[in-house]
């Protein structure tokens, strides 16, 4: 029972034995002087050591309330300082005096409010005096900075030579932004050089680079779109009022802005496509060439004369007033099925005088009428249950015959590009009304 009662005391002693060697050494243990200790002490030497340390502390600020006593070469420091770091430096300072055997540093940090505030007030007063003395030079540097920046802004506002050097207004604005940025950086360098703080410039530029990199990652899509706008404004793969297909969308080009390409679809809707998408997509420009081909497919009977069908279709296509003689119309077999044969036909028109959709519609109608008149049209497969009475020769002889199509098809209808003209009028009206700048130029060189 006694052993059990004494167990907590034994555990506490064991903990103290383990923890004490691990405790950090005090400042006076770490800052003790090294060297051989003399056999006999000298009172005169102790007084000299104390006087020397006191003289040093009088010359230093913040150690007015530190007392020094020396006995047998052992220096004892008592009193208060403004901070703990100053108290720690005392041991190092006293250890450098010749004849010091050991140091006992009992200096503590002062908690007196007035003592701690007075140095801060003095430092603030000194800095204010330095600022007032520095003010004329700062005003000169600020004036030089403002003068250089104003000169750069005035140069950037000039109409020439930027619009002469740039292919369009967007690139001219980029030139102006570069000029403004260059003059601002130059003004900053000159002002810092006047102030004697050019080393600060590297820190500013380094911080600006890091911030710019972070912003670049954050707005990566915006930066990509901006670069695509620059490339499109230089290359100009299309012009105003061109009919283009971009990423599956077809329409007439209204304008190219610094952010997007605006199209007018054939349904009368606005299509706003980001320039980054436009730059990376496959662009089909239907307006670059006046000649354009239309194609259509028709089926003929499986037992029809394919040569006759081809010649008949070419005769119809070449007889249409809107089909161009060159390039020539064409016809070929596309596919052979169980009940019919599919043929493909193609003809060329002039987009400036002919509507593509109307021309294709008329070509299909007239070719199909010619095939019907010639008995070449494929009939859809049909299955009919024949009764015994219908299978007799008389019934078969009296069965009705399929009426033949009229021999002479109607003449071709007008195919003037009315829709294209209306869309062109709408595009011209919107280009005149919208205030935003257009990056496209009618006179730009073809890509």
């Amino acid at each position: 029972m006694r052993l059990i009662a004494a167990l907590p005391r034994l555990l506490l002693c064991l903990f103290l034995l383990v923890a004490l060697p691990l405790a950090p050494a005090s400042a006076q243990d770490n800052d003790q002087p090294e060297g051989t200790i003399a056999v006999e002490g000298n009172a005169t030497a102790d007084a000299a050591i104390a006087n020397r340390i006191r003289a040093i502390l009088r010359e230093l600020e913040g150690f007015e309330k530190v007392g020094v006593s020396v006995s047998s070469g052992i220096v004892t420091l008592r009193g208060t300082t403004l901070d703990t770091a100053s108290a720690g430096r005392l041991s190092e300072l006293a250890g450098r005096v010749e004849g010091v055997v050991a140091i006992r540093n009992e200096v503590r940090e002062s908690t007196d409010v007035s003592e701690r505030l007075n140095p801060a007030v003095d430092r603030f007063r000194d800095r204010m005096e330095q600022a007032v003395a520095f003010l004329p030079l700062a005003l000169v540097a600020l004036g030089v900075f403002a003068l250089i920046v104003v000169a750069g802004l005035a140069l950037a506002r000039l109409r020439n030579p930027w619009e002469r050097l740039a292919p369009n207004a967007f690139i001219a604005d980029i030139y102006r932004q570069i000029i403004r940025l260059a003059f601002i950086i130059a003004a900053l360098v000159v002002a810092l050089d006047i102030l004697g703080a050019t080393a600060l410039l590297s820190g500013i530029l380094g911080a600006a680079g890091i911030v710019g990199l972070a912003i670049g990652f954050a707005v990566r899509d915006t930066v990509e779109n901006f670069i695509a706008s620059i490339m499109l404004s230089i290359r100009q793969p299309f012009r105003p009022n061109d009919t283009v297909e971009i990423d599956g969308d077809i329409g007439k080009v209204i304008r190219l802005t610094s952010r997007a390409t605006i199209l007018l679809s054939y349904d009368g809707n606005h299509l706003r496509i980001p320039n980054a998408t436009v730059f990376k997509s496959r662009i089909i420009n239907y307006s670059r060439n006046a000649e354009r081909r239309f194609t259509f497919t028709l089926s003929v009977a499986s037992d029809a004369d394919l040569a006759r069908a081809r010649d008949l279709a070419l005769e119809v296509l070449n007889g249409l007033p809107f089909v161009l003689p060159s390039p020539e119309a064409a016809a070929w077999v596309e596919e052979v099925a169980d009940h019919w044969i599919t043929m493909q036909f193609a003809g060329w028109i002039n987009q400036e005088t002919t509507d593509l959709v109307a021309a294709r519609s008329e070509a299909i109608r007239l070719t199909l009428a010619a095939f019907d008149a010639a008995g070449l049209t494929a009939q859809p497969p049909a299955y009919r249950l024949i009764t015994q009475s219908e299978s007799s020769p008389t019934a078969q002889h009296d069965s009705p015959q399929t009426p033949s199509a009229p021999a002479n098809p109607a003449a071709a209808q007008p195919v003037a590009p009315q829709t294209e003209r209306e869309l062109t009028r709408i595009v011209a009206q919107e280009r005149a009304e919208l205030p935003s700048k257009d990056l496209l130029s009618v006179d730009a060189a073809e890509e």
Side-chain angles (χ1 to χ4, degrees):
M1 296 297 292
R2 294 180 180 180
L3 180 60
I4 296 175
L7 184 60
R9 297 181 181 179
L10 293 175
L11 292 175
L12 179 61
C13 294
L14 181 61
F15 173 76
L16 293 177
L17 290 175
V18 174
L20 286 177
L22 298 177
S26 62
Q28 67 181 21
D29 294 334
N30 293 335
D31 297 331
Q32 297 302 315
E34 298 178 355
T36 304
I37 300 176
V39 176
E40 297 180 356
N42 190 338
T44 304
D46 291 343
I49 292 173
N51 293 332
R52 180 57 177 161
I53 295 177
R54 294 190 189 101
I56 294 174
L57 295 182
R58 282 194 298 269
E59 298 297 328
L60 298 176
E61 184 178 358
F63 300 107
E64 295 83 1
K65 293 190 176 183
V66 175
V68 181
S69 61
V70 181
S71 176
S72 300
I74 301 174
V75 178
T76 303
L77 302 173
R78 296 185 179 89
T80 58
T81 58
L82 294 178
D83 51 59
T84 307
S86 299
R89 289 196 298 270
L90 283 173
S91 298
E92 180 183 358
L93 180 64
R96 295 168 57 186
V97 178
E98 183 179 0
V100 175
V101 175
I103 301 172
R104 189 162 48 219
N105 191 344
E106 299 178 357
V107 178
R108 299 291 180 265
E109 182 179 0
S110 176
T111 58
D112 191 349
V113 176
S114 61
E115 290 183 6
R116 298 182 69 89
L117 288 180
N118 287 336
V121 173
D122 294 339
R123 289 194 299 270
F124 179 75
R125 186 183 299 109
D126 294 340
R127 290 171 183 172
M128 290 299 297
E129 293 175 356
Q130 292 177 1
V132 172
F134 193 71
L135 185 60
L137 186 61
L139 292 176
V140 172
L142 181 61
V144 173
F145 177 83
L147 183 62
I148 296 176
V149 170
V150 170
L153 296 178
L155 180 61
R157 288 196 188 99
L158 295 178
R159 186 180 183 88
N160 292 319
W162 314 120
E163 294 188 1
R164 289 185 179 180
L165 297 175
N168 53 61
F170 182 57
I171 303 300
D173 288 340
I174 293 178
Y175 288 164
R176 293 187 179 96
Q177 293 294 340
I178 293 175
I179 291 298
R180 294 189 187 100
L181 181 61
F183 270 80
I184 290 175
I185 294 177
L188 183 62
V189 172
V190 173
L192 292 178
D193 185 62
I194 293 175
L195 297 176
T198 53
L200 183 62
L201 181 62
S202 60
I204 295 175
L205 294 179
I210 295 174
V211 172
L213 185 62
I215 294 176
F217 278 107
V219 294
R220 179 178 54 191
D221 294 338
T222 303
V223 173
E224 181 183 10
N225 197 54
F226 179 76
I227 296 175
S229 301
I230 296 176
M231 299 303 297
L232 287 175
S233 64
I234 296 175
R235 295 173 55 185
Q236 301 214 359
F238 39 74
R239 296 179 180 180
N241 208 38
D242 279 359
T243 302
V244 297
E245 179 180 351
I246 302 173
D247 199 23
D249 295 319
I250 301 177
K252 282 187 167 293
V253 178
I254 298 178
R255 64 180 60 243
L256 172 67
T257 67
S258 59
R259 293 179 295 274
T261 299
I262 303 175
L263 305 181
L264 179 65
S265 70
Y266 280 83
D267 296 330
N269 300 319
H270 275 208
L271 301 176
R272 187 180 183 89
I273 307 175
N275 287 334
T277 302
V278 176
F279 185 75
K280 294 185 295 185
S281 299
R282 182 177 66 115
I283 302 175
I284 302 177
N285 193 329
Y286 296 109
S287 300
R288 185 58 59 91
N289 298 321
E291 296 82 6
R292 186 174 176 183
R293 191 182 76 162
F294 66 88
T295 61
F296 61 93
T297 302
L298 292 178
S299 298
V300 297
S302 58
D303 57 349
D305 187 350
L306 298 182
R308 183 187 175 195
R310 181 195 60 196
D311 295 340
L312 182 58
L314 292 178
E315 180 181 353
V316 172
L317 291 176
N318 291 326
L320 296 175
F322 51 80
V323 174
L324 300 177
S326 179
E328 297 179 353
W332 62 92
V333 176
E334 183 72 16
E335 183 182 2
V336 177
D338 294 336
H339 303 283
W340 57 75
I341 297 176
T342 302
M343 298 189 68
Q344 189 86 5
F345 308 97
W348 291 80
I349 63 169
N350 186 347
Q351 295 186 98
E352 298 176 357
T353 58
T354 305
D355 184 86
L356 178 70
V357 177
R360 183 175 180 272
S361 176
E362 284 300 297
I364 293 174
R365 184 179 68 86
L366 295 175
T367 305
L368 184 59
F371 280 3
D372 288 341
L376 300 174
T377 306
Q379 298 297 328
Y383 300 93
R384 185 163 61 97
L385 181 61
I386 301 176
T387 62
Q388 186 175 3
S389 59
E390 292 177 337
S391 62
S392 61
T394 305
Q396 292 180 3
H397 178 74
D398 295 337
S399 61
Q401 300 294 327
T402 302
S404 61
N408 297 323
Q413 301 297 320
V415 290
Q418 295 296 333
T419 304
E420 291 287 333
R421 293 171 183 172
E422 287 298 320
L423 291 178
T424 301
R425 181 187 62 80
I426 295 174
V427 169
Q429 182 179 356
E430 294 196 6
R431 284 178 57 81
E433 292 177 354
L434 292 177
S436 59
K437 294 182 179 180
D438 184 19
L439 307 184
L440 296 177
S441 175
V442 178
D443 301 327
E446 294 184 358
E447 185 181 21

